[in-house]
Amino acid sequence: MSSAPIAFCGGLLRAAGLAVLALLLTLTAANAERRIALVLGNSQYQHAAPLLNPARDAQAMAERLKDLGFEVVSGFDLTKQQTQATVAQFAKQVRGADIALFFYAGHGLQVSGKNYLLPVDAALEDETSLDFEAVSVDFILRQMSRETSIRLVFLDACRDNPLAEVLAKTAGIKGASSGLAEIPIENGGAGTLVAFAASPNQLAYDGSGDHSPFTTALLQHVGESNVSITEAMNRVTSDVFKATAGKQRPWINVSLTTEVVLHRVDLNAPLIVGEASAPQAEAGSETRNTGTGQTDDQLALNALREKIPKLATDGPILFDRPVKFGDPAIDGKSIAQLIKGKPLFSPVEGLDKSVWQGKHCDGCHEWNETRLCEQAKNFAANDVSVLRLQHPLGTRFKVALARWAQGGCQ
């Protein structure tokens, strides 16, 4: 049995493997830091009316954070004992993290400026209830502050809380109310951001949709491509204010010494998708001559070249002259015109539409004639790997670029 097909397949696999590795390195570069999140949501209260959204809010946020590279410790509809166990697990994992994040949705209250989150079994019947039935926000913040660099806190916990009224009336505790109090920010690391669903001492809406107004906006904006967390929270505030007709305004306390971007995308990465390079035969491996003067490898490469789209012209391609591409969508346009055009689809898988849709390609890639010539030379040198694959400006655009490079980028 000839070893040539095996050698060729091995080359293909290695080439594809290199491409996958390069893609993974690109995708994980922005998430190289260690990210740990604690996500809690309580809806099914035993001593108060159930809330519609908090557990769903927390579940959705947990999934969103996983997509952003977070290790997530989560719990939904937890009792006090279960909450303490979950926080303890988080405390062990979060030590030394680059980004520590906490999200909570459910009932919360403040007593004399101190904030408490309420597990589902909280009854708050007397003055001892806070110590034994509630969870201090300060306690959780201490756990996420140990040797961590950046701390992000999101509290969707200012909902109208009948348990706060019970505590105030039956236990005679003054200053117990549903709204949460301002949380002072500690110095250390690269800083902290604390976001409340509503301004201090005000109530937040649970919402009548799938999620609360605050969580809906968070899911929309946290992790948008190349958007800092502070800008994301500005957008969240605007969305919530509009969604509630001005009745609810999120409150943000931020002291970050560095820009925090949870989903960073390199917009200057070459638009090359597929094998890293044309597969090469194993050093020292045998190749089989088919009797036509071509080896198996050459035949396979030629077969791949047949899949490269053909232009409708055999003439030279010039930078600023109309080109007969053979594609109605771009026929009659020059390369100079096309690079100022808008992409047909996302240039990077998973890229947020706000980054690319309706934007001009040369603005993202800072293309000029010289830079584009270098990329075109790459296309020409790796024709098998590149030219048969789709491009946001049309596949034949790449074919024309390769022809342009072969003609000296005139």
Side-chain angles (χ1 to χ4, degrees):
M1 179 184 297
S2 170
S3 63
I6 297 176
F8 176 65
C9 288
L12 272 177
L13 289 172
R14 279 191 302 279
L18 287 172
V20 170
L21 177 60
L23 179 60
L24 287 175
L25 289 174
T26 299
L27 292 175
T28 58
N31 296 330
E33 66 265 319
R34 185 164 170 262
R35 301 174 172 186
I36 310 295
L38 172 65
V39 178
L40 302 175
N42 293 329
S43 290
Q44 300 301 318
Y45 284 92
Q46 299 170 12
H47 303 282
L51 293 171
L52 180 64
N53 285 321
R56 288 203 302 253
D57 292 345
Q59 288 164 355
M61 277 300 299
E63 292 305 312
R64 181 72 172 122
L65 293 172
K66 289 176 184 177
D67 291 340
L68 293 171
F70 280 85
E71 299 174 40
V72 177
V73 178
S74 60
F76 315 109
D77 291 326
L78 301 183
T79 64
K80 171 66 181 291
Q81 184 176 5
Q82 291 169 331
T83 302
Q84 287 181 313
T86 304
V87 174
Q89 179 187 348
F90 170 70
K92 292 178 181 178
Q93 292 184 220
V94 78
R95 185 183 293 271
D98 296 290
I99 301 179
L101 185 150
F102 174 47
F103 173 88
Y104 174 79
H107 275 317
L109 58 82
Q110 65 154 307
V111 176
S112 302
K114 296 292 184 181
N115 294 312
Y116 297 87
L117 309 180
L118 300 184
V120 295
D121 59 344
L124 303 185
E125 295 176 344
D126 57 45
E127 66 274 11
T128 65
S129 298
L130 282 177
D131 291 332
F132 293 98
E133 297 177 12
V135 177
S136 167
V137 172
D138 289 343
F139 168 71
I140 296 179
L141 295 182
R142 283 199 303 273
Q143 310 313 310
M144 64 187 300
S145 297
R146 294 193 172 105
E147 302 174 24
T148 57
S149 179
I150 295 166
R151 295 164 292 278
L152 307 176
V153 179
F154 304 95
L155 298 175
D156 197 353
C158 310
R159 295 164 169 85
D160 190 15
N161 184 1
L163 293 175
E165 297 179 10
V166 170
L167 186 66
K169 292 178 180 178
T170 63
I173 295 180
K174 297 180 179 180
S177 64
S178 296
L180 296 183
E182 180 177 348
I183 295 176
I185 287 182
E186 298 179 0
N187 294 323
T192 302
L193 177 145
V194 179
F196 291 91
S199 299
N201 304 309
Q202 293 184 346
L203 299 180
Y205 289 89
D206 190 33
S208 57
D210 291 337
H211 302 292
S212 74
F214 182 67
T215 296
T216 296
L218 271 181
L219 292 171
Q220 174 69 29
H221 297 297
V222 169
E224 285 184 312
S225 302
N226 294 335
V227 174
S228 70
I229 191 64
T230 50
E231 173 57 27
M233 294 314 301
N234 288 337
R235 297 178 184 183
V236 168
T237 299
S238 176
D239 282 6
V240 172
F241 191 75
K242 292 176 182 176
T244 60
K247 297 178 181 178
Q248 178 180 335
R249 184 193 295 270
W251 179 82
I252 317 297
N253 191 3
V254 59
S255 178
L256 294 171
T257 60
T258 185
E259 183 181 60
V260 178
V261 178
L262 297 181
H263 184 200
R264 193 181 296 278
V265 176
D266 183 5
L267 296 179
N268 288 317
L271 295 178
I272 301 175
V273 183
E275 296 91 350
S277 61
Q280 304 294 324
E282 280 276 0
S285 67
E286 297 178 5
T287 57
R288 181 172 64 89
N289 194 299
T290 62
T292 62
Q294 293 183 314
T295 64
D296 286 336
D297 289 6
Q298 290 170 330
L299 287 172
L301 288 172
N302 288 338
L304 291 176
R305 284 194 177 97
E306 288 298 318
K307 297 182 180 181
I308 297 174
K310 302 294 190 295
L311 297 180
T313 178
D314 293 325
I317 303 297
L318 302 177
F319 182 72
D320 56 359
R321 299 289 179 85
V323 178
K324 295 180 180 179
F325 289 96
D327 180 350
I330 56 177
D331 266 339
K333 296 181 180 179
S334 67
I335 293 174
Q337 288 176 304
L338 281 177
I339 64 174
K340 296 182 180 297
K342 300 174 183 178
L344 303 175
F345 55 85
S346 175
V348 178
E349 185 177 358
L351 192 64
D352 191 85
K353 287 185 178 180
S354 63
V355 176
W356 66 270
Q357 197 169 57
K359 305 294 177 65
H360 296 284
C361 292
D362 64 336
C364 295
H365 291 274
E366 299 178 0
W367 273 334
N368 55 38
E369 194 168 346
T370 301
R371 291 190 64 181
L372 193 62
C373 182
E374 292 302 312
Q375 186 163 337
K377 289 176 181 177
N378 186 26
F379 289 167
N382 298 284
D383 61 337
V384 171
S385 300
V386 178
L387 299 186
R388 58 192 175 83
L389 302 172
Q390 288 187 329
H391 188 281
L393 291 178
T395 305
R396 285 179 172 82
F397 170 70
K398 290 193 298 184
V399 179
L401 282 180
R403 180 93 66 82
W404 175 57
Q406 290 166 344
C409 294
Q410 300 298 314

